[in-house]
Amino acid sequence: MRCFCFCAVHSLAAARYIRGVNTASIPVKTEPIPERQPRKRSTAAGNAAAASFANLIERLDYLSPSDLERVRLAYRFADEAHLGQLRNGGEPYITHPIAVAGQCAEWRLDAQALMAALLHDALEDCGVTKPELIQRFGSPVAELVDGLTKLDRLHFDSREENQAESFRKMLLAMARDVRVILIKLADRTHNMRTLTDTPRDKWARIASETLDVYAPIAHRLGLNQTFRELQNLAFRHLRPWRAEVLERAIIKARGRRRDLLQNVQRAVESSFVKSGMKVKIAGREKSLYSIYKKMQGKHLSFADVNDIYGFRLVVPSTIDCYTALGTLHQLYKPLPGRFKDHIAISKLNGYQSLHTTLVGPSGTHIEFQVRTEAMHMVAEAGVAAHWLYKAKGPQDSGQAERMGSQWLQSLLDIQDENRDAAEFWEHVKVDLFPDAVYVFTPKSQIMAMPRGATVVDFAYAIHSNVGDHAVAARTNGEAALLRSELKNGDVIEIETDPTASPNPAWLSFVRTARARSKIRQHLKTLAQADSQSLGEKMLTQAMRSEGIENLPPDTPDKQAVWEKLLRFSGNRSRAELLTDIGLGKRIAGIVAKRLLTLLVATGEKPDAVLLTRERFGAGESVSQGSVLLDGSENASVKFANCCRPIPGDGIVGYLGRGEGLSVHIDTCLAAKKLKSKDSERFIGVEWSDAPVRTFETGLLVTVTNGKGVLARVASALANAETDITHIDMGDEASQGSVVLRFLVAVRDRNHLDLALSKLRRTPSVLQAQRSRILGALNADRAPGNEH
């Protein structure tokens, strides 16, 4: 054991500057680790593990002798830790870490990554501690292993949250060291290869998780070979019958088209021999899952899928790629609209290649991919090309690592703004499917955006301040809506206003995680400020009902009063208490009574005149004081959609738990139902004498069906200076009369009366009235004056 510990400490010193990480400042414990009790295993199991590890060592010829020795030490430790444990298939558990390390060796990962691969289940399954790993193998290896460990020791409310937290930890570790995700993908790949050994009732969950999470990550990082394998393995376990049928069809088609493909390959080889260009030609076949998705997405039969087979050409240089493309187009006719230049504009994961589809013999469509050797390295290994082809220079692999790092860093930015695991999960899954479009800034900078992204997404991609203050946009020099989808080649110009702020409606159409995260962050901040303002207004009104004109100021002489009140409410600050009142988490009347008691104890007395006026004014029953509404309350006050109150309506306020204040018409049936169940949460609300904005309400307009009638109705509303915010014509067939449903914005009841009057004088209008939603209107109102 002494020799073992000495070697581990020595290897740490030797590794202090590996990958530029200076670990000299990391304290290394030197106290002895207790000896683990040796356990016995069968000779057959030992031979199987030894053979697996020997096979791994044969593939590590790229490591130095000292690194090989460190890998052996990690293997011995992992072998001892997993001794006695078996896989579902009956083989020793250590064969799994060895297989994971073997996949990492295929990517030529360094010794630290291979050691972490061998140890990746030690913390989770064997009771090994992180300090123990630090002492034996150094801090970098321990950090990699810790990044791979599930959070089983913590408790979460649901399995989904557990997965979201584990996923976040994995991604954040990845953003700091991409080797974590490479090891994790290797781990998942081997688990999928051996999934048939697990109980069948687990197949669907594991395969779905692989398709939803791990395969997209592999694709985003450019690990195309791993991406295709994970997709195919998941498909075979998620839809085994479909996969089997499709696989048999592919085998038959392969036999039928063998002669045709051989003829095409000979013709292509002959053309390049004549041109004198050195080229490597290899046949390629569409993956099983990608064929299935194409059939499913385009509703095709297998016979209709005509691009199953293709060829890949690897040429010496980038210029040769375009020369080779010309040679191919001279040999076979290209299919219009099927050429893609991913060399000039690479994909988000760094992928570069020319794609063209040609019409071959017998009208068969054949796809050709043309790339250089360096591009091929990146296409197959993605970010792993950094290690896999390090010896060939940084320019061969730097593109993929750079493109991958942009995505990884963006995950860190999102996590900084969203501490909730489920919300973070939602943001990240949006960005896992990056089918891209490429647009230009006014300064001709190319920006890659996910397909379906909008102008608002583009604005936030430029800078959060641009997105927050965006008010208009121009696409290719023409005015465009902020919700307009981006198209390849668009030149986007954003107009901003310093006083503007994000619109909550943007959340319904933005596509990127960054935009969604920034908008939500801003709205949360805005809602908190609005709720605090509303809470202060409500508490002030409640205190007036107790005979106190104003809230005590937040000054040193009143600090003791506020501290006692905060202890009573359980809040940490005055601002938090007022926000809770505004959100309905605290009842203003109860807080006011407690605050009155505290003020009376300091010698302050209620004003009897104010108390009488507020509580018993106009002969009304005892009240809590009314909140004045003028439309400036923003997110803290919601005007109920069930009845859509406007100034002039009698109104009531319902303080939902954590939902802020909802305002209803006093005769609204929904409000009456709430009052019968939760009457203590209703407060008095009144309209201000000078509202600052318009309010939406509904109109039902019955018209004689005919040409131009909608234009006449819209003109009448415009003449009344009434804005139309929504029109619904229903699904009624063409009849003699049609009911049009409008949402209009009016200042008050008088403005609504004017609009209805103009509508009733309009030709073709049979009836015009305000929508009667949930009995919101007074039943005793005369039919001719309904609004």
Side-chain angles (χ1 to χ4, degrees):
M1 178 60 71
R2 289 179 184 173
C3 178
F4 184 87
C5 291
F6 171 80
C7 291
V9 173
H10 178 75
S11 65
L12 172 62
R16 280 177 177 160
Y17 292 94
I18 290 179
R19 290 178 54 79
V21 178
N22 186 349
T23 61
S25 60
I26 299 174
V28 179
K29 297 181 180 179
T30 55
E31 62 268 19
I33 298 292
E35 287 278 358
R36 292 183 175 273
Q37 294 299 319
R39 289 175 283 182
K40 295 181 180 179
R41 73 156 142 221
S42 67
T43 303
N47 290 341
S52 296
F53 185 69
N55 181 264
L56 171 64
I57 290 295
E58 289 178 2
R59 289 183 280 171
L60 302 182
D61 53 356
Y62 63 93
L63 293 181
S64 66
S66 61
D67 282 344
L68 271 177
E69 183 57 32
R70 295 170 65 218
V71 172
R72 286 193 177 94
L73 292 177
Y75 163 70
R76 291 169 195 157
F77 183 87
D79 189 29
E80 175 63 27
H82 291 295
L83 198 57
Q85 296 179 359
L86 299 176
R87 298 271 287 167
N88 287 321
E91 65 274 13
Y93 192 90
I94 189 63
T95 58
H96 169 64
I98 292 172
V100 174
Q103 178 60 60
C104 294
E106 292 293 324
W107 294 325
R108 297 294 195 270
L109 297 193
D110 57 19
Q112 290 179 354
L114 295 170
M115 293 164 70
L118 290 167
L119 299 165
H120 77 272
D121 280 333
L123 286 182
E124 182 182 351
D125 299 334
C126 305
V128 176
T129 64
K130 187 176 177 181
E132 189 175 359
L133 289 182
I134 292 175
Q135 177 168 343
R136 294 184 185 277
F137 306 109
S139 181
V141 173
E143 290 297 333
L144 291 175
V145 175
D146 185 56
L148 290 156
T149 302
K150 294 178 182 175
L151 306 181
D152 286 342
R153 297 173 188 172
L154 301 180
H155 298 285
F156 302 101
D157 294 334
S158 68
R159 179 174 185 85
E160 181 180 353
E161 187 177 356
N162 187 1
Q163 287 183 336
E165 287 283 358
S166 297
F167 186 55
R168 172 196 285 187
K169 184 176 182 184
M170 181 180 71
L171 290 176
L172 295 183
M174 173 183 68
R176 294 180 176 90
D177 193 330
V178 75
R179 292 175 295 177
V180 170
I181 192 58
L182 294 176
I183 298 168
K184 190 66 181 178
L185 288 173
D187 176 43
R188 177 51 62 115
T189 301
H190 185 252
N191 282 334
M192 289 302 299
R193 289 170 181 169
T194 57
L195 189 58
T196 50
D197 295 331
T198 63
R200 186 149 189 161
D201 59 354
K202 295 183 179 181
W203 286 12
R205 178 185 62 81
I206 296 172
S208 296
E209 187 179 67
T210 300
L211 277 179
D212 290 342
V213 177
Y214 294 99
I217 291 176
H219 183 244
R220 188 63 187 265
L221 296 181
L223 301 163
N224 289 317
Q225 188 172 345
T226 301
F227 165 64
R228 291 190 293 266
E229 182 177 3
L230 288 176
Q231 280 191 328
N232 288 340
L233 289 170
F235 177 47
R236 286 190 174 97
H237 290 88
L238 200 60
R239 298 282 187 269
W241 182 81
R242 297 182 189 183
E244 184 180 349
V245 170
L246 190 55
E247 199 161 23
R248 286 202 300 265
I250 292 172
I251 292 171
K252 288 182 181 177
R254 195 181 295 152
R256 288 195 303 268
R257 300 183 185 181
R258 183 182 295 115
D259 290 342
L260 183 147
L261 293 172
Q262 287 176 350
N263 290 338
V264 170
Q265 182 166 348
R266 281 194 293 268
V268 171
E269 288 173 346
S270 175
S271 294
F272 281 100
V273 167
K274 291 177 183 177
S275 66
M277 181 185 295
K278 293 182 178 179
V279 60
K280 298 178 184 176
I281 302 175
R284 51 176 294 277
E285 183 177 281
K286 209 175 187 72
S287 73
L288 186 70
Y289 183 70
S290 107
I291 295 173
Y292 171 71
K293 288 300 288 183
K294 183 163 187 176
M295 291 170 61
Q296 186 183 50
K298 296 189 176 182
H299 306 288
L300 302 174
S301 68
F302 178 76
D304 295 327
V305 181
N306 51 23
D307 61 347
I308 296 175
Y309 303 102
F311 291 92
R312 180 180 299 119
L313 278 62
V314 179
V315 296
S317 68
T318 302
I319 293 297
D320 290 333
C321 291
Y322 294 95
T323 305
L325 183 70
T327 302
L328 290 173
H329 284 187
Q330 288 178 348
L331 181 62
Y332 295 116
K333 184 179 179 180
L335 197 65
R338 296 293 296 272
F339 169 68
K340 294 179 183 178
D341 188 345
H342 294 303
I343 294 179
I345 303 178
S346 62
K347 289 188 177 182
L348 289 174
N349 58 16
Y351 176 88
Q352 290 184 294
S353 187
L354 296 179
H355 290 195
T356 185
T357 300
L358 307 181
V359 181
S362 306
T364 305
H365 294 177
I366 305 171
E367 186 185 57
F368 285 81
Q369 297 175 354
V370 187
R371 59 180 71 146
T372 66
E373 185 68 39
M375 293 173 191
H376 184 59
M377 297 169 187
V378 173
E380 292 303 305
V383 292
H386 173 80
W387 294 276
L388 189 54
Y389 299 100
K390 205 177 217 180
K392 298 195 176 184
Q395 291 186 354
D396 287 343
S397 56
Q399 172 77 353
E401 189 178 24
R402 183 167 62 255
M403 296 299 291
S405 296
Q406 290 175 3
W407 179 60
L408 303 179
Q409 187 57 48
S410 73
L411 296 182
L412 276 180
D413 295 340
I414 294 169
Q415 194 272 342
D416 287 341
E417 294 156 10
N418 298 280
R419 298 293 176 182
D420 179 72
E423 191 170 326
F424 179 78
W425 171 271
E426 178 190 344
H427 288 323
V428 172
K429 286 191 76 174
V430 169
D431 268 355
L432 286 179
F433 300 91
D435 198 6
V437 295
Y438 298 89
V439 295
F440 297 85
T441 68
K443 295 182 178 179
S444 299
Q445 178 187 354
I446 297 176
M447 297 195 66
M449 303 292 295
R451 188 169 299 280
T454 64
V455 171
V456 174
D457 293 299
F458 173 84
Y460 277 104
I462 296 293
H463 196 279
S464 57
N465 284 338
V466 177
D468 285 346
H469 302 298
V471 292
R474 300 182 72 82
T475 299
N476 303 322
E478 297 181 0
L481 297 174
L482 291 178
R483 67 183 305 140
S484 302
E485 283 195 14
L486 304 177
K487 296 182 176 62
N488 277 317
D490 282 347
V491 179
I492 312 295
E493 183 179 355
I494 305 295
E495 297 178 16
T496 60
D497 182 346
T499 63
S501 61
N503 188 330
W506 291 355
L507 290 171
S508 66
F509 60 75
V510 292
R511 179 71 175 80
T512 59
R514 176 179 174 81
R516 190 175 299 275
S517 169
K518 293 291 184 182
I519 294 167
R520 283 182 173 167
Q521 180 191 20
H522 184 95
L523 293 177
K524 285 177 182 177
T525 304
L526 179 66
Q528 185 171 1
D530 289 341
S531 297
Q532 181 180 338
S533 175
L534 175 64
E536 185 170 3
K537 189 185 295 186
M538 292 169 62
L539 186 56
T540 299
Q541 294 287 359
M543 288 301 292
R544 288 175 60 85
S545 298
E546 301 295 337
I548 303 296
E549 180 74 29
N550 295 305
L551 293 180
D554 191 12
T555 55
D557 59 313
K558 296 296 182 182
Q559 187 173 357
V561 173
W562 281 107
E563 287 177 353
K564 291 178 182 178
L565 183 64
L566 293 175
R567 281 198 295 271
F568 165 77
S569 67
N571 293 101
R572 291 171 292 183
S573 66
R574 179 178 184 271
E576 186 182 274
L577 171 60
L578 295 176
T579 300
D580 281 357
I581 293 173
L583 290 173
K585 296 179 180 179
R586 300 279 185 275
I587 301 298
I590 296 174
V591 177
K593 291 183 185 299
R594 180 63 179 176
L595 181 54
L596 175 66
T597 303
L598 296 173
L599 290 173
V600 169
T602 65
E604 191 168 340
K605 294 182 179 180
D607 184 332
V609 176
L610 177 63
L611 182 63
T612 302
R613 186 172 70 245
E614 289 292 324
R615 288 201 172 192
F616 302 101
E620 293 175 359
S621 59
V622 177
S623 73
Q624 295 291 337
S626 296
V627 176
L628 287 177
L629 303 175
D630 63 3
S632 64
E633 298 79 15
N634 293 327
S636 60
V637 175
K638 300 177 179 66
F639 295 90
N641 289 335
C642 56
C643 53
R644 300 190 185 278
I646 60 175
D649 290 331
I651 52 176
V652 293
Y654 174 71
L655 203 58
R657 293 175 174 83
E659 300 168 358
L661 181 63
S662 295
V663 180
H664 295 257
I665 293 178
D666 54 11
T667 55
C668 174
L669 293 183
K672 289 181 177 180
K673 288 181 181 179
L674 287 171
K675 199 164 189 176
S676 66
K677 298 177 182 178
D678 221 0
S679 59
E680 73 279 0
R681 303 195 72 83
F682 275 80
I683 66 171
V685 288
E686 295 178 0
W687 293 109
S688 166
D689 292 335
V692 298
R693 66 173 178 86
T694 57
F695 298 80
E696 282 190 345
T697 192
L699 297 181
L700 295 179
V701 184
T702 305
V703 298
T704 302
N705 198 5
K707 186 176 181 180
V709 66
L710 180 58
R712 289 193 290 273
V713 171
S715 177
L717 290 172
N719 289 336
E721 298 182 353
T722 304
D723 292 332
I724 301 172
T725 59
H726 181 74
I727 302 176
D728 181 11
M729 302 180 66
D731 298 325
E732 302 171 13
S734 179
Q735 298 176 357
S737 63
V738 177
V739 177
L740 305 178
R741 296 168 177 84
F742 291 89
L743 275 185
V744 296
V746 295
R747 294 185 295 275
D748 51 28
R749 285 279 294 275
N750 291 333
H751 189 191
L752 177 61
D753 287 342
L754 174 64
L756 288 172
S757 176
K758 288 187 176 292
L759 283 172
R760 290 170 184 145
R761 292 198 297 268
T762 302
S764 303
V765 173
L766 302 177
Q767 188 179 34
Q769 61 184 28
R770 187 176 177 186
S771 298
R772 284 171 165 266
I773 303 177
L774 293 180
L777 302 174
N778 293 327
D780 58 354
R781 199 167 288 155
N785 296 322
E786 281 182 316
H787 37 255

